[in-house]
């Protein structure tokens, strides 16, 4: 993997941790996530209008990925109900690189070199250890955090395949995010109502900005997956948990212990091994 791609993915990781911290710090996370998706849809329709559509062969992936992203949104919101950013986020992100390597091998024929596999294992180990508290877990949202990781792996592999079929990473990203951004408000209305969605509330600007940050972050990741193995890109993207641990400490009042710092060091080592 080239150094420019690595730098881009690490930048995406920082952006990803930032919008997750914003979501975790909100009071009505389903509403915040839906507003984010509406901002994503608005930005995506502008980008899509300026670009030629992706190749027809990728449209199945566009639709499937949009559905998987909605599932990811719902599981992520639920997992943050009682879990700290520094616990729930590492679990969700930690399980996905290994799943992506397996799925990419099965469905896309990707093969990782031994050092790449070792790096991914180090990253995942460090990530999951960030969620370990030194006592038996009592987090009631653990199944949702694990489910979130499964959704991450699923949409990442679908997008990795789709973007290669599309021949146009930016157009693929725009159309997938547009469809995803339209579906999420419909799900919200089905679960609640339209009135609460469109009511002006404090935090709407922050949520909208979070959506744009999320769009940029995932657009970078999709571009990287068109240039490099999906498993390696995913593992580097999940270094975002290091940024999340620092953000949780600085802005959400979460603890930053020596164990967490050591786990971050393992993640960094894994990233170096992948390189």
């Amino acid at each position: 993997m080239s150094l420019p791609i690595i730098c881009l993915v690490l930048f995406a990781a920082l952006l990803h941790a930032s919008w997750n911290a914003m979501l975790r710090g909100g009071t009505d996370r389903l509403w915040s996530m839906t507003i984010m998706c509406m901002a994503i849809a608005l930005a995506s329709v502008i980008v899509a209008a300026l670009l030629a559509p992706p190749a027809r062969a990728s449209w199945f992936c566009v639709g499937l990925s949009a559905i998987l992203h909605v599932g990811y949104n719902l599981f992520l919101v639920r997992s943050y109900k009682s879990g700290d950013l520094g616990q729930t986020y590492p679990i969700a992100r930690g399980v996905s690189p290994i799943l992506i390597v397996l799925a990419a091998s099965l469905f896309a024929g990707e093969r990782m070199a031994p050092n790449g596999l070792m790096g991914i294992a180090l990253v995942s180990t460090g990530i999951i250890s960030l969620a370990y508290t030194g006592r038996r877990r009592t987090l009631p949202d653990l199944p949702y955090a694990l489910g979130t990781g499964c959704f991450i792996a699923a949409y990442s592999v679908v997008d990795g395949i789709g973007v290669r079929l599309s021949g146009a990473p930016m157009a693929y990203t725009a159309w997938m995010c547009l469809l995803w951004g339209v579906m999420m408000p419909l799900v919200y209305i089905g679960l609640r109502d339209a009135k609460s969605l469109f009511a002006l509330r404090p935090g709407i600007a922050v949520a909208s900005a979070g959506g744009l940050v999320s769009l940029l972050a995932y657009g970078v990741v999709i571009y990287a997956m068109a240039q490099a193995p999906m498993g390696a890109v995913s593992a580097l993207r999940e270094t975002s948990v290091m940024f999340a641990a620092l953000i949780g400490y600085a802005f959400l009042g979460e603890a930053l212990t020596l164990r967490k710092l050591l786990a971050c060091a393992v993640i960094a080592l894994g990233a170096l091994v992948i390189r």
Side-chain angles (χ1 to χ4, degrees):
M1 189 184 300
S2 67
L3 184 59
I5 293 295
I6 288 175
C7 292
L8 278 175
V9 176
L10 291 176
F11 173 63
L14 174 60
L15 296 178
H16 200 281
S18 299
W19 76 255
N20 269 267
M22 180 278 297
L23 180 65
R24 176 62 183 83
T27 54
D28 188 345
R29 299 181 188 96
L30 180 60
W31 177 82
S32 295
M33 177 64 84
T34 307
I35 294 298
M36 286 175 61
C37 289
M38 292 170 65
I40 288 171
L42 180 60
S44 296
V45 74
I46 296 172
V47 175
L50 298 175
L51 300 173
R56 188 180 298 272
S58 67
W59 276 95
F60 175 77
C61 293
V62 168
L64 179 57
S65 178
I67 294 171
L68 291 171
H69 271 84
V70 171
Y72 159 75
N73 289 348
L74 296 176
F75 268 68
L76 181 64
V77 167
R78 181 61 180 81
S79 69
Y80 281 155
K81 183 176 181 180
S82 62
D84 287 344
L85 179 70
Q87 291 182 323
T88 303
Y89 189 74
I91 294 171
R93 312 309 301 191
V95 300
S96 61
I98 301 297
L99 295 176
I100 289 171
V101 169
L102 295 175
S105 175
L106 182 62
F107 297 108
E110 286 192 356
R111 297 292 183 270
M112 292 289 295
N115 64 311
L117 292 173
M118 183 181 296
I120 291 170
L122 284 170
V123 170
S124 287
T125 300
I127 289 171
I128 294 174
S129 67
L130 280 174
Y132 178 67
T133 60
R135 61 182 184 275
R136 184 179 177 183
R137 290 202 61 85
T138 57
L139 182 63
D141 297 321
L142 178 60
Y144 292 96
L146 293 173
T148 300
C150 291
F151 273 108
I152 293 168
Y155 73 61
S156 295
V157 173
V158 170
D159 285 336
I161 295 171
V163 73
R164 296 172 189 181
L165 293 173
S166 72
M170 286 187 64
Y172 176 91
T173 303
W175 282 96
M176 184 278 292
C177 290
L178 172 58
L179 182 58
W180 162 34
V182 169
M183 292 172 65
M184 190 62 198
L186 297 177
V187 171
Y188 179 97
I189 292 171
L191 293 174
R192 293 187 182 178
D193 57 77
K195 182 178 180 180
S196 65
L197 175 60
F198 295 107
L200 290 178
R201 303 193 206 177
I204 189 170
V206 173
S208 299
L212 298 180
V213 169
S214 170
L215 177 62
L216 175 60
Y218 197 58
V220 169
V221 168
I222 289 181
Y223 172 79
M225 287 194 296
Q227 314 295 323
M230 289 180 252
V233 171
S234 172
L236 284 175
R237 175 185 60 182
E238 308 316 354
T239 58
S240 60
V241 298
M242 295 189 297
F243 301 117
L246 296 173
I247 292 171
Y249 170 74
F251 299 105
L252 301 179
E254 298 180 3
L256 184 62
T257 62
L258 177 61
R259 178 188 52 77
K260 285 187 177 182
L261 293 174
L262 290 174
C264 289
V266 172
I267 294 169
L269 176 61
L272 289 174
V273 171
I274 292 171
R275 172 70 181 94

